[in-house]
Amino acid sequence: MASPQRHDLKRYPGFGAVTWACIVLLYAPMLVIMIYSFNELRSITTWGGFSFAWYLKALNNPQLHSATFNSVVVALVAATLGTILALCAALAMTRGRQLKHQSASFALLNLPLMVPEIVTAIGSLVFFLAIGIQLGLSTIIIAHTVFCIPFAYLPIAARLQGLEGYFEEAARDLYATRWETFRYVTLPLTMPGIISGYMLAFIVSLDDFIITNMVAGPGATTLPMAIYGMVRTGFTPEINAISTMMLLVSALFVSASYLISRRGASS
Amino acid sequence: METQALRRDAVGIDQVVKVYGEGASAVTALKGVSLSIADNEFFTLLGPSGCGKTTLLRIIAGFEQVSGGRVFLFGEEIEQLPPNRRPVNTVFQHYALFPHMTVEENIAFGLRRLKRSDTEVKKRVGEMMEIVRLSGFAGRRPGQLSGGQQQRVALARALAPQPKILLLDEPLSALDLKLRQQMRLELKQIQENTGITFIFVTHDQEEALAMSDRIAVMSQGEVQQLGTAEDVYERPSNRFVADFIGDTNLIEATVLGEDGPDRRRCRTAQGLELTASGSGDPGQMVHLSIRPERISLVAGIGGSGTPCTIDRIIYLGTNRQVLVRLADGAPLTLLVPNTSGSTLEPGSAATISVAPGAARQLRD
Amino acid sequence: MAALIATGNSQQESAAGLTARQRGLLLLPALLAIAIFLVLPLGFILVYSFLTKGTYGGVVWEFSLAAYEQFLFERDLFTDELVFHASYLQIYGRSVLQALVATIACLAIGFPTAYYIATRPAAQRNMWVFLITVPYWVNLLIRTVSMLFIIRDEGPLNSILLGIGLISEPIRLAYTDFAIGLGLVYSYLPFMVLPIYAAIERFDFRLVEAGHDLYADRWTILRQIIVPLTRPGIVAGSLLVFIPSLGSFIAPDLLGGGKNLMIGNTIALQFQSSRNWPFGSAAAVILLTLVLIVLVLFARRAQQAAAEQGRQ
Ligand SMILES: Nc1ncnc2c1ncn2[C@@H]1O[C@H](COP(=O)(O)OP(=O)(O)O)[C@@H](O)[C@H]1O
Ligand SMILES: [Mg+2]
């Protein structure tokens, strides 16, 4: 008797194996680093028993405290500003007929995604120095806000495009002013897009190293900069512990955004 | 149209033109439409899809601006009023129920925007849910309702603020036949009970005939005929209306002579002689419309009628549609009651006769 | 500018009740932010690339082509003659090659993966997509560090291989070009899988049945039906891997064994220890030009393809 799989026309031998290899490639390094973060020994190779020692060390490192604080502040401010700018732009681009310069505006909004990060990084550095803005947290925030815009824009615009104009017309028909229409209809219906855009912007800001490193100036250190510094000076298990914690934060974020987008899709 | 007359009407539409787009891609959706709709009237815009019904409704609601002409609401020109300042509510074609609100919140939406007190909102929403028989569904979301229930929520939401005029854009088109027929009755009843002026859009002539006080038959951005259901069915003013409303036989004929005021003796190309309402001098070519149910049929040849051959019989339940051919092969459609023991057979000979006054002359 | 964007009758409201003028005003802040803090800086780079290098970094406002000359020539210290040298060309060549190899590797892994996921039962697909997405959300630096951790000479990979006796001494993986390639694949693989997955998920599998009906075997169908019809996804994925790979900094910096490994590092170096801003700017201008050429070429082809589809 032929197995049913032999008749499955869609099936290609080996594709399943490649998929599993892909998953292993993506996850193995992260899993290994997680496991070794609990290694008692300073040695990176031999296992000396389970311990939280490196976590304690990382959590008590004052430099990491300020770096984390900086990173979170930058990400909160940049993601918030970027999302607000992106929301306004997305409303303008999607609510109504084509604007006169619609495609040029779209290209400009997405420009931060097209320009290689290293180019943006040195461009920002040169620019800030040329116009005499003191490098520091503020320059990081400005640069992050700009490249957060397209990350927030794309999910918001996608949501707004899927939102038929007749909901807003129905609200206007039922005596809602423009503001009330936005407040009670457009905004709540766009919320899933806004939240995923905000989270994307937040993570992208938290993640950035190249641009941050260029425009940070001497005083302001963010978490990726601190980790980079530690890696450059020598690999210690403390890095494993920090990495694991950051991995968990990211995983938390993805799960949350996944749940939110699923809830958004079902409503 | 007299501006004076427009002032008395619920809605006055004066030479309204609507052009979408510009230049080469411009589409003229309305080509100078004039209508006056009386207060408390059940008024229907009837026409095939794309004829401009929705456009006219959207202009009245305030979602589109006219390219030319004027629109009056109770004598006031309303060009400058945004949709939220017009005493008009709409039941949208696809309902447009707010998906993130419950049934109750949807119905309360308009009242809340009008800043009605909480107690009033509550009372009114309760009433509305009773009228549309959805009392058990207050906490549900639109996504959890059937098509018919959503339709009733949309109706309740639009009625709740007690508008002077209710616009309904093909509200029944998404429902199945039984529900549609039931809702026709309910809508008519609600209109009579509330006294609100209904402007109802449909492409379904049966719906229009069943409910309307008056019907405007539209085609390609123009009103073809305005009248009661009986007017447009019995006395279609042109070929489009005759063809669009109900089934009909469109026949070319020559005027033979006068047969009383506005009655002419005519002979069709097939040699069928009949009296038709209309005008014209002898020898003139005219178009006639004869409704299939106004032609009677008896089996066999004889009597004063015209002989024919039965081509095909289509069983429709209450009636039978009979396709016959006259002597020279010209086809004609008849509708005969489905009485039992009928002896009609395809291929057999029969005799038809056209009832007096059944044939009507049509303008192009 | 708001008036510039506004179109037609400015009184005409859109669905949300916004006039064209208001929409212009809403759009303006985002466009201005990007124009001032991205387009303007790019203009600065272009200008700086034609200026003279300052002694301690920065620039001297004097026109010079030295930065571009430096790509092809070296000034002989003694004779002051320009001598051709290819080391910077080599860096660009190596970067393009690395990015290409990474793109091809990602495609080789990404296409079967995307296909496999898209042909799972609908309920499983979300879970697979989720699995592919998670790494994208994880800090790139940390992922690269973790890759470095396992491929080091004394890292887990070598210990496993030694332990099972496959090798007798550690093989050198870290700080090689291979490591850079591995890092790039690891960094950008999700970018390849997701667009291809989206394309295959929309693909109408009845076409496969039609193909089989017409005596095509599996691989013919893959080549002649599935791949051509999912090409937009494949192209999008390839661009999303190629472009960031070309300008990458972290993977060559941490995993590679040197300083001037890829364009990204070369540029960064000019603004750090080398302090040659005009040269760094020129290098950035050239990188940006390369990226633009690739994007324009693909946009052209996509337009042509769309036009052809329209004709059919
Ligand atoms: N927003 C629009 N832009 C361009 N053309 C439109 C628009 N809305 C409607 N039309 C055109 O106007 C004509 C009338 O449309 P509509 O009023 O929707 O007709 P109906 O409701 O009778 O089906 C159609 O030819 C349609 O294509
Ligand atoms: Mg319509």
Side-chain angles (χ1 to χ4, degrees), chain B residues 54-269:
Chain B
T54 298
T55 301
L56 189 53
L57 223 52
R58 289 172 59 80
I59 285 172
I60 298 171
F63 300 131
E64 300 284 353
Q65 241 105 39
V66 297
S67 313
R70 290 175 302 171
V71 181
F72 299 88
L73 233 56
F74 296 98
E76 302 278 344
E77 208 174 329
I78 51 165
E79 176 72 25
Q80 299 306 323
L81 281 189
N84 56 321
R85 306 259 305 278
R86 301 186 182 197
V88 172
N89 286 145
T90 308
V91 177
F92 288 83
Q93 193 160 9
H94 302 289
Y95 312 146
L97 296 177
F98 303 127
H100 58 301
M101 298 181 192
T102 62
V103 167
E104 197 172 13
E105 289 162 346
N106 262 285
I107 298 175
F109 190 89
L111 297 167
R112 297 242 179 257
R113 300 290 82 72
L114 290 171
K115 308 273 181 298
R116 299 286 159 77
S117 69
D118 276 356
T119 47
E120 194 190 335
V121 171
K122 224 173 137 109
K123 179 167 154 276
R124 183 92 188 118
V125 169
E127 279 170 22
M128 289 320 302
M129 291 207 292
E130 216 148 278
I131 289 179
V132 296
R133 293 179 290 113
L134 279 172
S135 297
F137 296 86
R140 296 244 195 137
R141 294 279 167 96
Q144 303 166 309
L145 300 177
S146 72
Q149 289 166 338
Q150 290 182 20
Q151 204 277 328
R152 297 212 295 271
V153 177
L155 184 63
R157 184 178 72 173
L159 284 171
Q162 289 167 303
K164 295 217 173 83
I165 295 158
L166 189 71
L167 309 177
L168 303 100
D169 193 356
E170 312 215 10
L172 307 181
S173 62
L175 308 181
D176 53 38
L177 184 64
K178 262 271 173 312
L179 200 54
R180 207 152 66 206
Q181 287 171 339
Q182 179 197 333
M183 280 307 296
R184 277 180 206 166
L185 266 174
E186 285 186 27
L187 275 179
K188 183 77 186 153
Q189 225 148 45
I190 289 172
Q191 193 267 332
E192 278 165 6
N193 293 345
T194 56
I196 294 173
T197 307
F198 274 35
I199 305 180
F200 185 90
V201 160
T202 181
H203 65 263
D204 180 341
Q205 41 113 357
E206 208 179 303
E207 217 166 84
L209 297 177
M211 295 193 287
S212 321
D213 293 328
R214 279 193 309 154
I215 300 171
V217 184
M218 291 180 65
S219 161
Q220 301 192 342
E222 286 172 312
V223 175
Q224 303 290 331
Q225 186 172 3
L226 179 66
T228 63
E230 215 184 306
D231 284 337
V232 295
Y233 187 81
E234 302 286 346
R235 292 174 288 281
S237 67
N238 61 26
R239 279 163 76 185
F240 173 82
V241 177
D243 202 24
F244 185 74
I245 297 180
D247 279 332
T248 197
N249 294 289
L250 287 176
I251 301 168
E252 278 188 13
T254 319
V255 177
L256 297 177
E258 210 161 310
D259 191 23
D262 279 340
R263 294 173 78 84
R264 294 289 181 277
R265 200 69 202 150
C266 298
R267 185 198 287 124
T268 70

Side-chain angles (χ1 to χ4, degrees), chain B residues 20 27 29 48-55 64:
Chain B
Y20 287 111
V27 177
S49 146
C51 71
K53 309 179 296 285
T54 298
T55 301
E64 300 284 353

Side-chain angles (χ1 to χ4, degrees), chain A residues 209-224:
Chain A
F209 168 71
I210 301 172
I211 297 173
T212 317
N213 192 39
M214 278 289 171
V215 301
T221 301
T222 64
L223 200 48

Side-chain angles (χ1 to χ4, degrees), chain C residues 102-122:
Chain C
T103 307
I104 292 167
C106 280
L107 192 57
I109 305 170
F111 185 88
T113 304
Y115 184 93
Y116 184 77
I117 294 175
T119 51
R120 291 303 88 197

